[in-house]
Structures are given as structure tokens and as C-alpha cells.
Amino acid sequence: MNWDWEKLSEQKRRQGSPLPDPGRVGEDLGKKLTSLKGRLPGGPKIVLLAVVLVWLASGIYIVEPDEAGVVQRFGAYAYSTGPGPHYHLPFPVETVKTPKVSQVRRVEIGFRSVTSRDGASMQNRPVPEESLMLTGDENIVDAQFIVQYQIGNPVDYLFRIDHPDETVKSAAEAALREVMGDAKIDSVLTSGKLKVQTDTKVLLQEMLNRYDSGVDVLAVQLQDVHPPKEVVDAFKDVASAREDKSRLINEADAYANDILPKARGRAAAILNEATAYREQTIRRAKGGADRFSALRAEYDKAKDVTRERLYIEAMENLFSSPDLEKTILDDAAARQAVPYLPLSQLPPAPGAADPAAARPEPAKAEPAKAKGGRS
């Protein structure tokens, strides 16, 4: 801390207690040590012994649980130590370094995290020279990502490479550019992000292992992947068109899945109805043919009796039918009646005009009903 000696002296003077002069204090302390050394027997030896003890005690060090001790002897690696208190030969014979091996370190590529002035929020400042990359289909993509790593081998980490963070950053950028060079932009922007992260992590670890860096890569996380801002609107239009295409395909599939089962069911029903009608017609025809053959045999035996029986059965069926309208005339009335065809009661042909609508229905005489005779 920097002291404003004049202001402090003025403040002490106002409070009524004068501030001692630092030069005079140091001079008085030196005089006291000189007088003390002269009064003690063997004073220089004691001072030298105290200095030696302090120098030997400087070799005591403690390694924290999240650290690893790496001891150097005359600048070269000597041995490693684990957590706990240890001792090494004092400087300049041996020195110790204690890197934090369990700390998760972080490297940002394509952006930099910047804390706001109030310290309440974090903002990302883009670095285009790191984030702009070329994909396998010759498109440019803006990719920002983070690499998390730990110290796996503290000896290699300390002595094999210079500036470990910069080395990891450069290797990570090279690995991601290589992976992006083999990928398509559609995959990178949509469903292929996880594959890009995994491939980049594997490739980055292989590169760092070749460097004997002593670094273990924990994760590669894509923070933001998007097209360059100059063409982002065009990419949005393409994405919207793809979504419309997928939506229309899904609607067509849903319609096909709805109508095809119905059509198949209707076709099966028609086939079953046709099969049933065919079997019914064939059996009815065979039955009619067998009946006719039986009647023919009976007719050959007794023609008059068989003819009369057939006539009676026909009339019985005709009169017993409730759906038929019957008019019974005797012979005299039948000779006086004029037969006609009721065209107005016939159903019109498909597509033809109704003849009853074009002309009035002709008047007809109500036939007289009589009892007896044949129709």
C-alpha cells in the first residue's frame, strides 16, 4: 500500500502525537543491533547460525490436496511429491512448483468473455479471425466454442511446452477447423453439433498427446454456431423452406396413411360381396337346373297333371305376394278393356328427361272389377 507520508504526518501532528522519522528509526535500529552484537559473547557465530537455520527452514513446503509437487534440482526435474508437508534442499539447490492438477481450466476460441463495468453480467466479444471457418461444402460458418482441460501429467505440462494455454488454444482451433472441413453446413447448424464436438475432442487429445503436453481434454463445447451475419437472412429463408417441405411431406404421409387403409378395406369388402354373389348365383342356377330336370321327368310321365299343377302353383305365388297390385277381370270385361303400358310410372333412364314432365299423363278408364275368371 502506498502511503502519503506528508498527509499522515500532518494528521499525526494535528492529533498531538508527532510521527517518527523513518530514516531515524532505521538508524536507531541498526545502532541497537550493533550494540547487542558487541555485548553478546560469540555474537557473529550466533547470527550466522540463525541465518543458516532460517535458510534450512526455507526448504519446508506444503502441497495442497488439489496440487502436485514438482521438485527441480539446479533447474532440472528431480522428483514429484503428493499432497502434504515435504522438504526439499533450500534455494538455490532445489526449488518446487505446485501446479493445481484438479483445477478445470478453460480456453475460449472465437470469443472472449468480458465483465460489464458494474460486474453484474458477462458479455461475449466476438473474435472473427478465430471463429470464421470453411465447411466441407465450401460454406463459411461462424463457430464459437470452449475447451475444458486438466493437467494430467504435471512434469510434461511444466517442462515440455511453453505457454500451455496458448498451445491448447491453437491446437483446439486447428482441430475444429479440420473437423469443420469434413462436415456439411446443414449438419453443423442442425443435428451434427454433437458429432462435431466429439470428433474435435478426440482429434485435439491426439494432437496434445503428440506434443507430450501433459493435458487431458475434458470437453469441447460449441457455444454458438451460425452463418456469417452478411448471409444469415438467406440461411433463415432456406431453413424455413426446409421446414415447409418437411411439414408438407408429413401431411401427405398422414393423408396416405388415412386413405389407403380405407381403400384397401373397401376393395376387400367389394371382393367379398362379389364372391358371395357369384356363389349365390351359381348355386341358385344349379338348383333351378336340377328342379327343371326333375319337373321335366314328371312332365314326361303325366303332362296334363303336371301342367295344371304348375299353373296352380304360379297363381298361388302370384296371389299370395303382398307387393303386387292385382286387378281381377272376367272374360267379358277383359275383352272390353284396352291394355296400356304406364310409361309415367316407369323410372326414367339415367341422364334422360322425365317424359311425364314434358307431356300430361293421358286419361285412363278405371277398369271394372269383377269376380271370377283369370287375370
Side-chain angles (χ1 to χ4, degrees):
M1 180 181 294
N2 295 326
W3 293 91
D4 192 337
W5 188 258
E6 294 180 357
K7 291 183 179 180
L8 187 59
S9 300
E10 182 66 22
Q11 184 179 2
K12 292 292 184 181
R13 190 178 300 110
R14 290 177 181 176
Q15 293 177 355
S17 58
L19 192 67
D21 187 3
R24 182 174 297 176
V25 171
E27 185 178 350
D28 294 341
L29 182 60
K31 290 180 180 179
K32 289 181 179 180
L33 289 175
T34 303
S35 61
L36 180 61
K37 184 168 47 174
R39 285 188 301 220
L40 289 174
K45 294 181 180 180
I46 295 177
V47 173
L48 180 60
L49 180 60
V51 171
V52 171
L53 292 176
V54 171
W55 178 73
L56 292 175
S58 64
I60 300 174
Y61 67 97
I62 296 176
V63 179
E64 299 294 336
D66 61 339
E67 297 176 343
V70 179
V71 179
Q72 295 173 260
R73 184 173 296 131
F74 297 110
Y77 169 71
Y79 57 92
S80 300
T81 57
H86 301 277
Y87 182 80
H88 69 86
L89 296 179
F91 180 84
V93 179
E94 291 181 349
T95 56
V96 64
K97 293 182 178 179
T98 57
K100 294 186 177 296
V101 294
S102 63
Q103 177 184 357
V104 178
R105 302 167 189 265
R106 164 190 171 117
V107 175
E108 299 173 346
I109 297 97
F111 73 101
R112 299 293 183 272
S113 298
V114 180
T115 307
S116 59
R117 293 184 177 180
D118 56 1
S121 61
M122 295 285 291
Q123 297 179 353
N124 293 337
R125 177 175 59 86
V127 184
E129 58 270 18
E130 296 178 0
S131 60
L132 294 178
M133 303 180 184
L134 191 65
T135 61
D137 51 358
E138 298 182 355
N139 285 293
I140 297 177
V141 66
D142 193 337
Q144 301 175 357
F145 66 105
I146 293 174
V147 177
Q148 296 178 341
Y149 67 95
Q150 284 181 329
I151 300 175
N153 188 329
V155 178
D156 291 342
Y157 181 81
L158 293 174
F159 304 119
R160 292 286 186 177
I161 56 176
D162 292 332
H163 309 292
D165 290 341
E166 294 296 328
T167 301
V168 173
K169 176 175 170 294
S170 300
E173 183 178 350
L176 183 61
R177 290 186 184 278
E178 182 174 344
V179 173
M180 287 290 188
D182 295 333
K184 304 293 184 181
I185 190 170
D186 294 338
S187 175
V188 171
L189 294 177
T190 55
S191 60
K193 292 183 179 180
L194 181 59
K195 185 176 185 302
V196 170
Q197 294 179 164
T198 304
D199 294 346
T200 303
K201 177 185 175 183
V202 173
L203 182 59
L204 175 59
Q205 188 64 67
E206 292 176 355
M207 295 173 63
L208 294 175
N209 291 341
R210 288 198 301 268
Y211 299 158
D212 293 331
S213 62
V215 171
D216 291 336
V217 180
L218 301 180
V220 175
Q221 298 177 352
L222 290 172
Q223 296 296 104
D224 189 13
V225 181
H226 59 271
K229 61 181 180 180
E230 293 81 5
V231 296
V232 66
D233 293 335
F235 271 88
K236 288 181 179 178
D237 294 339
V238 173
S240 299
R242 287 197 183 95
E243 292 177 357
D244 293 340
K245 174 185 175 182
S246 300
R247 178 178 56 81
L248 293 175
I249 290 175
N250 293 334
E251 291 178 356
D253 291 339
Y255 177 74
N257 294 333
D258 177 64
I259 196 172
L260 286 178
K262 293 180 179 179
R264 293 190 184 99
R266 180 59 182 163
I270 293 174
L271 288 176
N272 292 334
E273 292 175 0
T275 302
Y277 177 75
R278 181 188 65 184
E279 293 296 328
Q280 180 183 5
T281 304
I282 291 174
R283 294 179 183 276
R284 186 175 294 173
K286 293 174 95 176
D290 294 341
R291 181 174 180 273
F292 180 81
S293 298
L295 289 175
R296 178 60 186 270
E298 297 297 326
Y299 181 78
D300 291 339
K301 295 178 182 178
K303 295 182 179 180
D304 296 335
V305 175
T306 304
R307 186 185 302 114
E308 186 68 20
R309 184 172 63 84
L310 290 175
Y311 175 76
I312 294 173
E313 289 179 354
M315 290 299 102
E316 182 180 0
N317 292 333
L318 180 64
F319 291 140
S320 62
S321 175
D323 299 329
L324 295 177
E325 184 179 354
K326 308 172 205 48
T327 302
I328 302 174
L329 301 175
D330 58 3
D331 293 340
R335 284 193 296 269
Q336 295 178 2
V338 179
Y340 74 98
L341 181 64
L343 298 176
S344 61
Q345 299 179 8
L346 296 178
D354 188 1
R359 61 179 182 275
E361 183 180 357
K364 60 179 179 179
E366 180 70 22
K369 296 184 179 180
K371 297 183 180 179
R374 296 182 181 179
S375 60

